[in-house]
Amino acid sequence: YSKIIIMAKSYSKNEILDLIATGVNAFCLTSISINAFSLIIKAVVNEARWFDPVIVPLLLSSIFKFKGNIIDESMKVSSFAS
């Protein structure tokens, strides 16, 4: 089946959530390095999903808001694309 990687210069919360809902495998900003983009491609080919660290807090807040929970401030997100 197809793999979808979105590379965007900018984004809105609704665009990101719509993309996730449609099954996008990865989302990154155009500012990402070539090396990191190569790793993202490899990860997606191996069935992983990858989202730019800039949008991860947005995703987490949407998920936790939907479930009625509060995000723990001690949560840390790391990425090889920084």
Side-chain angles (χ1 to χ4, degrees):
Y1 71 99
S2 299
K3 310 283 186 180
I4 302 170
I5 298 174
I6 302 291
M7 181 179 268
K9 192 171 191 170
S10 63
Y11 62 91
S12 74
K13 178 180 178 178
N14 289 338
E15 289 171 330
I16 296 298
L17 296 176
D18 288 345
L19 289 170
I20 302 302
T22 60
V24 166
N25 300 94
F27 177 90
C28 60
L29 297 175
T30 55
S31 59
I32 197 163
S33 72
I34 295 295
N35 290 338
F37 190 63
S38 175
L39 292 172
I40 293 166
I41 293 170
K42 290 175 186 174
V44 168
V45 165
N46 289 306
E47 305 301 323
R49 289 186 178 250
W50 191 92
F51 301 101
D52 198 285
V54 172
I55 69 160
V56 170
L58 176 131
L59 296 174
L60 289 174
S61 67
S62 295
I63 290 167
F64 283 98
K65 187 181 293 183
F66 177 75
K67 292 187 174 188
N69 296 324
I70 298 173
I71 295 176
D72 181 352
E73 292 297 322
S74 67
M75 287 179 131
K76 300 267 190 261
V77 177
S78 62
S79 171
F80 54 79
S82 49

